[in-house]
Amino acid sequence: MGPAPETPDPDVAAAEAELARLKAEAEAAEAHLKAAQAKAALAAAEAEAAKARAAAGGARAATAEPPAVPAMAEPDAETTGAETPAAEPTTAEAPVPEVATTPAAPAPSDGPLSADDVSKIIAGYTFESETLDVGALVNGDAVPEAQVRIPLGMMNRHGLVAGATGTGKTRTLQGLAEQLAAKGVPVFAADIKGDLSGVATPGDGNEKLLARTRAIGQDWKAEASVTEYFALGGIGKGVPVRATVSGFGPLLLSKVLGLNETQESSLGLVFHYADQQGLALVDLSDLRAVLTYLTGDEGKAELKNLGGLSAATAGVILRELITFADQGADVFFGEPEFDVTDFLRVAADGRGIISLLEVPGVIDKPALFSTFLMYLLAELFELLPEVGDLDKPKLVFFFDEAHLLFRDASKDFLAAIVQTVRLIRSKGVGVFFVTQTPKDVPSDVLAQLGSRVQHALRAFTPDDAKALRATVGTYPKSGYDLERVLQELGTGEAIVTVMSEKGAPTPVAWTRLRAPQGLMSPTPDPQIEAAVKASPLLAKYGTAIDRESAREILTAKMKAADDAAAAEEAALAKAKADAEYAKQKAAIDKAQAAADKKAQQEYERLLKKTQGTSRTKRSTEKSPIEQVLGSKATQTILGGVIRGMFGTGRR
């Protein structure tokens, strides 16, 4: 009997299976690359042939000679369908007539770009690595062979999605988020109007939509993404997202409160003092308590070595904090503080989770909303390790209504934003700013952005026209009259340029964007509420916590100080009363002693005065009878008589 078959090692089997999977993926990727390269080469050859045909047609028109030679008879043969003469093109040239009659590769006169420009765009957007599909080139009509893409590995080079209201920015954001999530990249986005929630629901594929997607070469199908809903402080539908005042920091809080540089510096001093003294600033009441304490007598003494805090500046900050809290902003600050790494989760099937911050309830507080987003981004920067360049980012952060962030921002605040955007790339995080015009974003920030999707701009006012010209001036040279094209773009169209794998900008491309696969309207409220209740994060962040913090510590400290002061005051009052009592008693005793002495002296005086007078002498001498009766003999006789009378003598 032979030996029993050897049991395969599970680790070896798993490794071999993984190797086989990776090999299959590599072969598929290689085949895809070869196909893409072949398509690009074919499209370029077709474009060159079309260009040559157009040039030949122009020469015939100029000379007005009849097509007598066989080369000139080619068009007639193609038009009539007759057999070509012996001088017909070779097999490699056979596809040329098809290109001339196919709408997918229009002649140069059909659009603003020449065939050479189209071929350059096709080559410029053909990448070896994994990509996100943005849409198809528009050159009069859509050119499905010319697909516009963004390399997935370049999404951490940041980007800008801009355009006037109603031009399709939200749908662009949705489409990018869906593709990122499908490729395993977590996404964070703020849902300003609430209509981005449709990513969680499969889309509605009507005939108009399908016709549009077919025209740009998109194989559209309805699909939902794994979505998590969040809400600032629990206002609205979603898992509450809170931050402590200490975590928020003086720089961001000064931006929200609209403080000037002096007040911002003073607020920084308050935070520094609280940190030194171990006073946790959890909510706004903690910060108010510290400010109140530092403007009191005891607090002033403690701040002398730190530069001091003027009562006027503290009063301004306190008033702004009270107004801020009255607007409902105090609910955003508290515990449990949200851990921003929870935005980096992926689903069990490997898809990235789209985290939507629902903010329709706080849209009337735009400064707070935008600054809170900046806080989340800054927290990511602080917590994530350096990872360098990855094949795909760890998170892509869509910063909607970005113009609100930069409005009335101080120099220090802008410097902090620029630094965060510049350096967070190495943490594997990509940031896309979504706003109306590029001029809403400071030039130092724009300089850090690698991809741009510019929807239509309007030029109804002189300021609009100036902004339009400024936007055009920021694009690389192209075959477009961008000042005109940017005003002619239809809804769902944009001017696109991205960063290639080599770090260079791709050609500017007028692009008809892909349609999202999720619902392009809000997900119904019952579905959102059910998703929130089922969230594993609700147990962690759903209930607010009120622990001992600066307010309670300072309240106890001030109470102890007040009690000590009261006790000291009471002791002082008692000591004063006792001293007064002792003084009065001493005075009374002294007066009494003086009175007694005076009375004694008066008595002695009278006594001396009356000594030696007859009345006094007679009163002191005994009479003869008293002398006889008082004698001892008389007493003996009287005792014997009494015993005899009562018979006591016999006893």
Side-chain angles (χ1 to χ4, degrees):
M1 203 175 160
E6 189 175 321
T7 303
D9 187 341
D11 293 337
V12 174
E16 290 178 349
E18 180 65 12
L19 181 61
R21 185 184 69 78
L22 293 174
K23 184 177 180 182
E25 287 185 357
E27 291 175 351
E30 185 178 1
H32 178 74
L33 173 60
K34 289 181 178 178
Q37 290 173 340
K39 286 182 179 179
L42 177 61
E46 292 171 345
E48 288 296 332
K51 184 177 181 181
R53 284 179 51 79
R60 287 196 301 270
T63 57
E65 293 180 357
V69 296
M72 293 298 181
E74 262 187 278
D76 292 336
E78 290 170 1
T79 305
T80 60
E83 293 185 2
T84 56
E88 68 179 330
T90 63
T91 305
E93 296 171 327
V96 173
E98 295 180 17
V99 175
T101 58
T102 303
S109 58
D110 293 339
L113 300 181
S114 67
D116 187 44
D117 292 332
V118 172
S119 65
K120 288 180 180 178
I121 288 177
I122 292 173
Y125 287 93
T126 301
F127 305 112
E128 296 181 2
S129 61
E130 198 171 5
T131 61
L132 301 180
D133 295 324
V134 179
L137 178 71
V138 174
N139 193 34
D141 292 322
V143 185
E145 290 81 4
Q147 289 293 314
V148 176
R149 305 177 179 90
I150 302 177
L152 183 59
M154 293 293 107
M155 288 297 287
N156 69 337
R157 295 303 202 278
H158 315 318
L160 174 72
V161 179
T165 301
T167 55
K169 297 191 302 293
T170 302
R171 301 285 76 85
T172 299
L173 191 160
Q174 181 177 347
L176 292 175
E178 289 175 350
Q179 290 189 69
L180 285 165
K183 295 181 183 299
V185 179
V187 174
F188 172 89
D191 193 4
I192 298 295
K193 300 180 289 294
D195 53 0
L196 196 57
S197 62
V199 294
T201 305
D204 181 15
N206 55 58
E207 187 55 39
K208 182 179 179 182
L209 174 67
L210 294 176
R212 183 185 188 278
T213 56
R214 282 194 297 267
I216 62 173
Q218 179 184 2
D219 184 16
W220 188 91
K221 63 178 180 178
E223 188 172 342
S225 300
V226 183
T227 307
E228 188 84 65
Y229 299 95
F230 296 94
L232 284 183
I235 294 183
K237 303 177 288 293
V239 175
V241 176
R242 302 182 184 90
T244 63
V245 172
S246 293
F248 206 73
L251 191 61
L252 293 177
L253 193 58
S254 297
K255 167 68 168 63
V256 174
L257 298 177
L259 304 182
N260 60 32
E261 290 185 3
T262 301
Q263 295 156 357
E264 181 179 324
S265 175
S266 298
L267 187 61
L269 175 65
V270 173
F271 272 73
H272 175 73
Y273 169 81
D275 186 55
Q276 276 194 334
Q277 300 298 317
L279 300 174
L281 300 177
V282 175
D283 52 27
L284 294 180
S285 63
D286 290 324
L287 184 55
R288 290 197 298 268
V290 174
L291 279 164
T292 302
Y293 174 76
L294 292 178
T295 52
D297 294 335
E298 186 176 353
K300 285 181 180 178
E302 294 188 41
L303 273 187
K304 278 187 178 179
N305 295 332
L306 298 177
L309 176 67
S310 73
T313 300
V316 172
I317 298 173
L318 280 169
R319 287 193 297 273
E320 293 297 333
L321 285 173
I322 292 171
T323 303
F324 192 43
D326 288 343
Q327 292 174 349
D330 52 346
V331 300
F332 306 127
F333 298 97
E335 290 183 318
E337 188 170 33
F338 190 82
D339 183 357
V340 292
T341 57
D342 282 330
F343 291 141
L344 275 62
R345 297 178 302 136
V346 295
D349 59 2
R351 289 186 294 167
I353 295 177
I354 298 178
S355 299
L356 292 184
L357 185 66
E358 297 285 316
V359 290
V362 294
I363 193 59
D364 57 334
K365 306 174 186 65
L368 174 65
F369 150 71
S370 61
T371 310
F372 208 100
L373 292 190
M374 191 60 210
Y375 155 75
L376 296 178
L377 194 60
E379 282 290 289
L380 286 168
F381 175 71
E382 290 294 330
L383 295 177
L384 294 180
E386 294 280 341
V387 294
D389 290 326
L390 302 173
D391 292 337
K392 61 182 180 182
K394 297 173 69 174
L395 174 74
V396 175
F397 194 102
F398 287 94
F399 209 126
D400 202 2
E401 300 295 338
H403 62 282
L404 300 175
L405 176 67
F406 303 107
R407 182 184 298 168
D408 302 325
S410 66
K411 292 181 180 178
D412 290 341
F413 184 71
L414 286 177
I417 295 175
V418 172
Q419 181 184 20
T420 300
V421 173
R422 179 185 295 120
L423 300 180
I424 203 170
R425 176 193 66 79
S426 61
K427 305 294 183 86
V429 177
V431 182
F432 272 69
F433 293 97
V434 184
T435 187
Q436 294 187 0
T437 69
K439 73 180 182 65
D440 294 333
V441 181
S443 57
D444 288 343
V445 177
L446 282 176
Q448 307 301 319
L449 308 183
S451 299
R452 293 179 62 179
V453 181
Q454 177 66 63
H455 288 265
L457 289 175
R458 311 298 182 217
F460 296 135
T461 68
D463 287 341
D464 292 342
K466 184 178 179 181
L468 177 61
R469 287 191 294 273
T471 300
V472 170
T474 62
Y475 276 93
K477 184 178 180 181
S478 69
Y480 298 108
D481 178 2
L482 286 179
E483 190 167 344
R484 179 180 61 82
V485 170
L486 284 174
Q487 298 181 74
E488 295 179 353
L489 293 172
T491 301
E493 294 181 351
I495 294 296
V496 177
T497 180
V498 305
M499 186 174 288
S500 71
E501 298 162 315
K502 297 179 180 179
T506 58
V508 176
W510 181 346
T511 307
R512 186 162 296 161
L513 302 169
R514 291 168 62 92
Q517 294 175 292
L519 196 63
M520 287 190 280
S521 58
T523 292
D525 285 348
Q527 289 181 230
I528 296 178
E529 292 166 1
V532 173
K533 290 179 181 177
S535 171
L537 298 179
L538 189 62
K540 184 177 179 181
Y541 300 112
T543 304
I545 299 173
D546 187 13
R547 66 177 174 95
E548 185 182 62
S549 53
R551 177 171 55 88
E552 290 81 7
I553 293 172
L554 289 178
T555 299
K557 185 176 181 179
M558 288 189 286
K559 184 177 184 303
D562 290 343
D563 291 345
E568 183 180 355
E569 186 176 351
L572 183 64
K574 184 177 183 304
K576 187 176 180 181
D578 289 346
E580 183 66 23
Y581 173 74
K583 180 179 178 181
Q584 291 179 1
K585 187 175 184 303
I588 292 172
D589 290 345
K590 184 177 180 182
Q592 185 64 38
D596 290 346
K597 184 177 180 181
K598 186 175 181 181
Q600 182 65 28
Q601 290 174 346
E602 181 66 18
Y603 171 74
E604 290 176 353
R605 186 184 68 78
L606 292 174
L607 183 62
K608 288 180 180 179
K609 186 177 180 182
T610 56
Q611 281 180 351
T613 62
S614 60
R615 182 181 300 174
T616 304
K617 192 174 181 181
R618 283 197 301 269
S619 64
T620 59
E621 294 181 353
K622 294 182 180 180
S623 65
I625 297 175
E626 290 176 338
Q627 294 176 0
V628 171
L629 291 176
S631 68
K632 187 174 180 181
T634 303
Q635 293 294 329
T636 304
I637 294 172
L638 286 175
V641 173
I642 291 171
R643 285 194 300 272
M645 288 177 65
F646 292 99
T648 58
R650 292 191 295 273
R651 300 176 187 172

